[in-house]
Structures are given as C-alpha cells and as structure tokens.
Amino acid sequence: PFTMNNSTPGRDNGNDKKKFKGDRSPCSPSRVLHLRQIPSDATEAEVISLGLPFGKVTNLLMLKGKSQAFLEMASEEDAVTMVNYYTPATPHLRSQPVYIQYSNHRELKTDNLPNQARAQAALQAVNAMQSGSLAITSALAAEGGLFPGQGSVLRIIIENLFYPVTLDVLYQIFSKFGSVLKIITFTKNNQFQALLQYADPINAYYAKMALDGQSIYTACCTLHIDFSKLTSLKVKYNNDKSRDFTRLDLPSGDGQLPLEPSIASAFGTQNIIFPPYPGAAGFAPAMGFAQGAVTACAPSGQMTLPGVTGVPGNSVLLVSNLNPEAITPRGLFILFGVYGDVHRVKIMFKKKENALIQMADATQAQLAISYLNGQRLYGRVLRATFSKHQIVQLPREGQEDQGLTKDYSNSPLHRFKKPGSKNYQNIFPPSATLHLSNIPPSVTVDDLKNLFTSTGSTVKAFRFFQKDCKMALIQLGSVEEAVHALIELHNHDLGENHHLRVSFSKSTI
C-alpha cells in the first residue's frame, strides 16, 4: 500500500500555512511533489494543470480525504523548476492557495491502488494532447466527462498593461498548451483584449487552467481568461492585430503599417508611470524565480510565465521614412536611447531614408516601436518596426561606410544599465514638455531658454523645480520641436563638469 511517509505524524491535514512553511524543504529535490490544501472539489485535471507548463506529468495520486496530492514529473529538473516558480508565487486552485514541496518519494507506484482510474484517464488525456493525438483526448473527454464542454476559443483580458503585449507574445505563451489556429487582438472599454482559437477544446481548457491569473511580466500584464461564446474566429487580415496561422495567403489590410497607431496610444497607456521600483533586492529574474515578493512591475520586462524566456523576436529595428538631409547615427542613438539602450546604428549606405537600430533586448525594441512609430522627425513621419536582421553588422575594414554605422555598445550615455534605475520610472511618450536635470547652480533661466532657442525651438514656458534647482521643465512649441531639442541637447556640456540630461515629461507647465 502507498504510505505517506513524508507527512509529519500528528499533523491534521497540513492546512496550517505557518507549520507548512517551516516544514517546506526537509527533502532533497525529487521529481515527486507533495501538494497540500487541495480544495475538496478540485479535479484531477486541475491538479495536473499546475505541473503542465514545466514539463510532462507522469503520475498523480489524489488523497481527497486529506486535501493532498502527489504529482510526479518526468524529470527532477522539471520538478525543481516548478517548485522554484511556485515558491514566491503561490498557485491557486478554485481561489484557494496550494502549497508545494518535494516529497521523500523518488517515484509514485500507484498500480494497485483503488480510485486511480480518473487520475490515469486525466494523465492519458494530457499525454495524448502533448503528443498531438487529439482524437484520443476528445474521446476521453466525451466518455469520462473529465473536461467541461467549453469550446476552443478563449477570451483574454490583460490588466496592468505596463508593457505592450504583442500578438507574437500571446502566440508564444499559449502555443505551449497546443496548436493555436487564430488570434485577434483589440481594445474594448480601455482594456487590451484578445480572442484566441485552439485546434481542440482540451487545449483551451488546459491553457485557461494554467494561465488564468498569471502575469506575463513580473507583477504586471496579468491574464484574465474565460471561454468565449464564439465557436470559431473569422480573421480577414494577417497583421500585428490579427492572424490566422492556417492561412498564410491573407492580405495584411489596406496599407496597414505594423503597430499603427502606436500601441501606447491605442491602449491608452500614454500616462503610465512605472511604479517605484524597490531596487535590485526585489529584482525578479526571468521565469519568476524571485527571492521575495515583488510588488512593482519589473522595469526590464522579464517574462515570469514558466517556459517563456522573454519577448520573442528581435532586438533590431528597421526605421524608415527618415529625412536623409538631417538624420545622423548619433541623432537616432539619442532619440531611441530614451526607450532602451542602443548598441548599434546603421543608416543604409544606398538608401539613407532607412536605418537599422540594435537595442539591448527585444523588450526595449518593442517599447521604442510603441512610442516612436508615427512620430514626426525632421519634417517626416518616422516608421519603426522589427527588422528581419538579428544583429547590425559593423563594416569590414576598408569598406566604404561614410561614418553611417556606429557602435554604441559601451556608451556612457545608456540610461538603463543599472537595475532599478530611476529612468525606468520616467519613460513617457514624446511630448512638447521636456524634463531637464543635472543643471549646475550657475546656469540661469535665461541661459537655458537661450540654449533651446538656439536650436530653433520656441520656448513657451519654463520653471525650475522648487525643491531641486538641478531640475527644470521646459515647454516648447510642438512635440516635433521637443524631439529635435532632445536630440541636439541631451548630454550638452553646461560647464562645471555638468552635462545636461533631457527626457520627455508627462507634465505640462
């Protein structure tokens, strides 16, 4: 018979969280996990869904009378990943917290146990789903009634949208639970939403079970998932807002440019301020292996969903419709550097209206697109999208380049090198009001007004901060003027070893 030799004798059913925490790691890692405080009405499928994102679940033992369960993963590595993920982020089943620790058992032997039929049927269904045998899963679902009769279309609402969530991000997350056929994204009631259709209802069921209530990035971009009343989605265009993965022949729409209007304005996030970040101690590394509670949205946007390793795609941008008479590599470095650390810039030798910009990572590239695509720069509307290139190549020795390719990877002007830097809290869309800092005491209002006028700007208003005269706000004639002034004057030498720092402000004067 199966004995629970890793339950502490004399305990009731392990529902005391304090006792449990003290008892959390008596065991060395094992691929068998001990789950406590399982709700009495939780199904086998729901318990299995806790392990699904981390790897294959190979066995399950439900002890309903004790509100406990044992879950066996295919490998110890999968079990370790699961425990590391759920230790700072306690999972919930039916709104109740569930606590997970390693078991003393190295494997589950349940062959001769009664009441294992449902658990085995649920496991078979999962394994069939993961190996793509959808016919078996549908038959199992129909016979055993293991899975609710919902359809294959999910409605996804994303709250706390501190970072743009693209269709590609959704595809990467949800395709871990089965074949995604179609996705449509839209904004309704000021909320970013998506409809997503799976090949089979069981995929939708497991995705909902595993992902509902989870956050894409640390403590922000939280998923709320329901079954849609729609049985199938109709997709007219394949672009950044909708896609039918079964039909690559669909048009992209009437000249629709990627991510236009910019995600920031479309999602109503122009005034979002990154909340105060508690510093490196609370920094939650990718995959959610945090060392303590993280209460703020992680500024560099690490994915916290298990198995998702960061924003998909690329950190290289294609910027087009530039004014070849005015644009320089340095100008692009300064402007795009407001939204991320620019490593390389290349203005095309034969077509100077186009440039490639390599950001530090794909999250920063996405931020730059969402804030700068559609902005006016030197009399033209700038277009920014992801490039097909993965890196920006530097010219070979002796290759003619006219100084159009620059490497900035070691620049002292990067704004986001330090984790928890205040710059993460001050990312705003281009605006006519600029925030100035690092001003030496000897510089007057007139000095700064004259400096900005000399770049062709019209100064509408100016004020120093009352508490800190090293900082000021200056309001110019238009957003485009402010963009030009930021490019010209960020890092301008004001004397006394002070270089002016310029960024866009959310305030007006």
Side-chain angles (χ1 to χ4, degrees):
F2 188 94
T3 56
M4 291 229 349
N5 64 359
N6 66 337
S7 288
T8 310
R11 293 245 171 119
D12 48 13
N13 62 355
N15 284 349
D16 184 331
K17 184 177 173 182
K18 284 186 183 169
K19 286 181 186 174
F20 170 72
K21 275 203 163 173
D23 187 35
R24 176 157 280 178
S25 316
C27 314
S28 57
S30 162
R31 66 192 184 99
V32 180
L33 300 170
H34 182 199
L35 285 63
R36 298 161 89 151
Q37 274 187 236
I38 303 287
S40 57
D41 53 350
T43 65
E44 286 80 355
E46 286 173 327
V47 175
I48 291 168
S49 75
L50 293 173
L52 265 189
F54 305 94
K56 188 175 179 182
V57 178
T58 49
N59 207 348
L60 169 70
L61 175 68
M62 297 277 279
L63 300 169
K64 291 210 167 175
K66 293 180 177 286
S67 303
Q68 299 183 26
F70 287 88
L71 197 70
E72 181 186 271
M73 302 298 287
S75 73
E76 190 176 293
E77 187 184 358
D78 294 341
V80 170
T81 306
M82 181 171 165
V83 170
N84 285 348
Y85 178 73
Y86 285 137
T87 299
T90 306
H92 287 68
L93 282 183
R94 303 195 173 227
S95 304
Q96 284 191 39
V98 173
Y99 300 103
I100 300 174
Q101 68 186 97
Y102 299 116
S103 165
N104 285 332
H105 299 289
R106 292 292 165 254
E107 62 177 321
L108 283 181
K109 292 179 180 172
T110 59
D111 300 350
N112 303 319
L113 289 176
N115 306 322
Q116 269 297 92
R118 283 177 65 86
Q120 292 308 312
L123 283 165
Q124 271 181 286
V126 174
N127 293 335
M129 177 191 79
Q130 289 185 331
S131 63
S133 177
L134 295 170
I136 300 174
T137 64
S138 302
L140 270 167
E143 280 176 36
L146 268 170
F147 303 101
Q150 282 95 350
S152 54
V153 178
L154 296 175
R155 184 180 68 131
I156 302 150
I157 296 173
I158 301 176
E159 288 188 344
N160 288 340
L161 195 76
F162 283 92
Y163 290 103
V165 174
T166 63
L167 188 147
D168 290 321
V169 170
L170 292 173
Y171 179 78
Q172 188 196 7
I173 294 164
F174 282 83
S175 60
K176 295 199 171 293
F177 295 89
S179 179
V180 174
L181 303 185
K182 302 169 188 175
I183 303 177
I184 297 170
T185 64
F186 56 96
T187 303
K188 186 177 178 183
N189 302 330
N190 275 341
Q191 286 181 314
F192 179 54
Q193 303 190 24
L195 292 167
L196 182 144
Q197 183 179 342
Y198 276 109
D200 193 273
I202 195 172
N203 305 122
Y205 176 76
Y206 276 113
K208 180 186 185 304
M209 286 301 312
L211 297 176
D212 187 25
Q214 301 279 11
S215 294
I216 299 177
Y217 302 108
T218 310
C220 65
C221 299
T222 305
L223 301 168
H224 295 288
I225 303 170
D226 289 307
F227 289 99
S228 169
K229 290 173 185 168
L230 297 170
T231 54
S232 180
L233 299 179
K234 289 179 182 170
V235 176
K236 292 180 183 175
Y237 303 115
N238 280 344
N239 54 34
D240 285 345
K241 293 188 172 58
S242 62
R243 210 165 298 164
D244 183 337
F245 296 96
T246 67
R247 290 202 45 200
L248 302 177
D249 57 321
L250 290 177
S252 63
D254 297 331
Q256 183 173 7
L257 286 150
L259 299 174
E260 188 189 358
S262 76
I263 288 178
S265 55
F267 297 175
T269 59
Q270 299 99 313
N271 298 320
I272 275 183
I273 309 167
F274 287 95
Y277 190 66
F283 198 68
M287 300 280 292
F289 299 162
Q291 294 303 312
V294 176
T295 53
C297 181
S300 56
Q302 302 88 344
M303 286 276 186
T304 61
L305 287 172
V308 180
T309 53
V311 178
N314 197 344
S315 59
V316 178
L317 303 174
L318 170 63
V319 183
S320 56
N321 202 36
L322 296 167
N323 182 338
E325 305 299 318
I327 202 63
T328 63
R330 184 191 173 277
L332 290 170
F333 165 70
I334 295 292
L335 177 59
F336 280 76
V338 173
Y339 300 105
D341 292 338
V342 176
H343 284 194
R344 289 178 180 177
V345 177
K346 183 186 195 80
I347 295 174
M348 301 302 193
F349 184 69
K350 290 184 177 167
K351 196 176 181 194
K352 295 188 173 65
E353 290 87 1
N354 294 349
L356 296 174
I357 298 176
Q358 185 175 331
M359 308 293 287
D361 62 43
T363 308
Q364 294 181 1
Q366 179 65 72
L367 271 179
I369 289 174
S370 63
Y371 284 118
L372 292 176
N373 182 48
Q375 293 293 338
R376 288 188 69 82
L377 179 63
Y378 301 125
R380 295 198 179 185
V381 177
L382 176 150
R383 298 291 176 214
T385 185
F386 284 107
S387 166
K388 64 179 188 232
H389 298 283
Q390 297 296 312
I391 58 166
V392 172
Q393 297 281 2
L394 293 175
R396 291 189 296 278
E397 221 174 306
Q399 190 179 0
E400 190 184 2
D401 179 67
Q402 296 178 355
L404 296 175
T405 307
K406 296 282 184 188
D407 185 87
Y408 294 102
S409 44
N410 295 313
S411 170
L413 296 186
H414 287 165
R415 296 178 190 241
F416 304 102
K417 273 191 298 202
K418 290 180 188 167
S421 158
K422 277 190 177 176
N423 291 329
Y424 287 116
Q425 299 165 34
N426 296 310
I427 298 176
F428 303 111
S431 63
T433 306
L434 295 171
H435 179 278
L436 312 179
S437 61
N438 205 34
I439 302 165
S442 60
V443 170
T444 65
V445 173
D446 285 342
D447 291 336
L448 288 165
K449 282 185 177 178
N450 291 338
L451 177 64
F452 278 81
T453 306
S454 72
T455 67
S457 301
T458 313
V459 178
K460 292 280 186 74
F462 181 96
R463 73 172 168 84
F464 275 110
F465 279 55
Q466 275 184 328
K467 291 180 182 174
D468 188 352
C469 287
K470 292 178 189 165
M471 295 198 285
L473 293 177
I474 188 165
Q475 190 173 331
L476 304 181
S478 67
V479 175
E480 189 177 3
E481 278 188 20
V483 170
H484 298 168
L486 181 140
I487 289 171
E488 289 293 312
L489 296 175
H490 180 63
N491 202 44
H492 179 81
D493 190 350
L494 293 172
E496 300 176 45
N497 207 18
H498 282 64
H499 287 77
L500 183 66
R501 298 279 173 265
V502 186
S503 53
F504 297 114
S505 172
K506 71 177 193 302
S507 312
T508 51
I509 302 174

